[in-house]
Amino acid sequence: MRVPGRRRSIVFFTTLGVCLVVLTVVLNVGWILLNWRQVALLVFGIIFFIAIIAGLVLNTTFLVREIRRNEQQDSFLNAVTHELKTPLASIRLYLETLQTREVDADKRREFYDVMMADSDRLLHTVEQVLRAGQISHRGRPRNASPIDLAEMVRSCLDLARIRYHLPADAFRFAESFNGEERAVVTGDEEELRAVVLNLIDNAVKYSGEEVRVTVEVATLDAKHVAVRIIDQGVGIASGELKRVFKRFYRVPGQTMQRVKGTGLGLFIVHSIVKKHGGRVFAESAGEGRGSTFTIQLPGARKQ
Ligand code: ADP
C-alpha cells in the first residue's frame, strides 16, 4: 500500500534531518572548543554553522510538507475520480436498462429520479472542484448585495431535506435577534449559499444513521451576525478542529472510508467566509459527540 510507504519516507526524512542537525551541532561545538583562541575565525565559523543548521531545518520542513501535500493530492484525486465515476456508471446502467428493456411507467419514473440524483451529485463535485480552483482569499466579493441570512438558511434547509430525503424533524431552525434587527449581511449570495449548503451537507453526511441537525441564525451585537450548524454525529477530535479547513484534508479513519468526499468543502467555506470579512470555526466535545460549525460575518448596516 502507498500510505505506509509515505509514512516511512516522512519518518526517514525527518530522522535524516534531525541526524544532520545533531551532527552539525556536534561539529560546531567541537570546532568552537578547538579554535576558541582565534576570535575572528570563531565568530565567522559560528555564523556559518548557524546558517547551515537553519538551512537544514528549513530543508527538512519543506520536504516533509511536500510529502504531506503529495499524499493529500493523491487521496483527493482518488476521491474525485470515485465521485465522478460512480454516478456516471450508475446513470449509464439505468440508460442501458431503459434502452434494452421494456420498463413500466412507475419503474421508469424511479429510474429518472435516481439518474437526476446522480447527475446532481456529479454537478456538485464538478462545482466544488471549479470553485476551489477559482478561490482566492484576497479581494472583496464580486456581486455583493444585502442578504437576509435567516431566509437563505431556511431555503438551504429545504433543499437539503429534499436532496437527502429527510423527514421534517431532521432539521431544527432557530433564530435570535437583538431587538428588531434582522441578520442581514452584504455579500455574494451564491457564494454564501455555497457556504451554508456545504456545512449542512457535512452535518448530514457525518451524522450517521440518525440525522438531528440544528441551525441557528443570530445577531451577536450591532456589528456581527452568526450562523451555527450543530449536529449529533461522529464529532471531531480536538487536534483536527483546525486542520479540517485545509485544502484536500479529510480526517483519517473509518468515517473517511465510509463517507465519500473530496476534502474541498471546508476549504471553500473558509475561503469564502474570509473573503467576506468573517471567520469560521469548528467545535466538538470529541469523537462520537457531534460537531458545531460557526460562521461569524460582519452585519450590514440597516437599510
Ligand atoms: P469532505 O466532506 O468532502 O471530506 P470537507 O472539506 O467538507 O470535505 O471536510 C473535511 C473533513 O472534515 C471531512 O473529511 C471530515 O473528516 C471532517 N468533517 C467535516 N464536517 C464534519 C462534521 N459535521 N462532523 C464531523 N466531521 C466533519
Side-chain angles (χ1 to χ4, degrees), residues 202 205-206 231 235-236 244 249-251 261-263 265-266 291 293:
N202 278 352
K205 268 186 357 186
Y206 298 103
D231 67 58
I236 303 172
V244 290
Y249 190 79
R250 307 197 70 215
V251 176
T262 55
L266 290 181
S291 320
F293 282 82

Side-chain angles (χ1 to χ4, degrees), residues 9 86 210 214:
S9 50
T86 315
E210 200 196 352
T214 302

Side-chain angles (χ1 to χ4, degrees), residues 209-284:
E209 289 295 301
E210 200 196 352
V211 178
R212 271 184 301 137
V213 176
T214 302
V215 184
E216 293 172 0
V217 173
T219 49
L220 299 178
D221 51 45
K223 290 196 184 127
H224 295 96
V225 299
V227 180
R228 211 167 288 127
I229 290 110
I230 307 157
D231 67 58
Q232 315 294 323
V234 297
I236 303 172
S238 60
E240 305 281 0
L241 288 171
K242 285 216 171 90
R243 276 192 222 149
V244 290
F245 293 99
K246 284 190 181 162
R247 194 161 55 146
F248 307 142
Y249 190 79
R250 307 197 70 215
V251 176
Q254 281 184 340
T255 311
M256 181 180 112
Q257 281 152 17
R258 195 165 34 83
V259 184
K260 296 297 168 202
T262 55
L264 284 179
L266 290 181
F267 167 73
I268 294 173
V269 167
H270 181 255
S271 309
I272 295 177
V273 170
K274 220 168 153 199
K275 201 160 97 179
H276 282 76
R279 68 188 195 111
V280 54
F281 54 89
E283 294 162 288
S284 172

Side-chain angles (χ1 to χ4, degrees), residues 116-295:
M116 204 64 154
D118 279 332
S119 55
D120 277 351
R121 186 171 156 193
L122 259 180
L123 202 65
H124 176 71
T125 308
V126 173
E127 268 171 10
Q128 292 280 78
V129 174
L130 285 179
R131 210 183 275 280
Q134 287 164 354
I135 258 157
S136 75
H137 291 290
R138 281 178 287 277
R140 306 303 304 161
R142 262 177 293 164
N143 308 311
S145 61
I147 300 159
D148 186 322
L149 274 184
E151 226 169 76
M152 173 190 278
V153 166
R154 263 200 227 102
S155 84
C156 291
L157 285 174
D158 289 341
L159 191 68
R161 204 175 281 125
I162 296 169
R163 188 181 280 170
Y164 292 102
H165 310 285
L166 290 169
D169 62 354
F171 294 133
R172 201 175 74 83
F173 177 72
E175 46 191 345
S176 66
F177 300 125
N178 279 338
E180 295 298 301
E181 295 283 332
R182 312 267 320 139
V184 179
V185 295
T186 307
D188 185 317
E189 181 157 9
E190 202 199 315
E191 289 194 335
L192 289 178
R193 263 180 87 83
V195 166
V196 174
L197 274 174
N198 260 307
L199 293 176
I200 296 175
D201 272 357
N202 278 352
V204 175
K205 268 186 357 186
Y206 298 103
S207 269
E209 289 295 301
E210 200 196 352
V211 178
R212 271 184 301 137
V213 176
T214 302
V215 184
E216 293 172 0
V217 173
T219 49
L220 299 178
D221 51 45
K223 290 196 184 127
H224 295 96
V225 299
V227 180
R228 211 167 288 127
I229 290 110
I230 307 157
D231 67 58
Q232 315 294 323
V234 297
I236 303 172
S238 60
E240 305 281 0
L241 288 171
K242 285 216 171 90
R243 276 192 222 149
V244 290
F245 293 99
K246 284 190 181 162
R247 194 161 55 146
F248 307 142
Y249 190 79
R250 307 197 70 215
V251 176
Q254 281 184 340
T255 311
M256 181 180 112
Q257 281 152 17
R258 195 165 34 83
V259 184
K260 296 297 168 202
T262 55
L264 284 179
L266 290 181
F267 167 73
I268 294 173
V269 167
H270 181 255
S271 309
I272 295 177
V273 170
K274 220 168 153 199
K275 201 160 97 179
H276 282 76
R279 68 188 195 111
V280 54
F281 54 89
E283 294 162 288
S284 172
E287 283 173 74
R289 301 173 71 183
S291 320
T292 300
F293 282 82
T294 307
I295 318 163

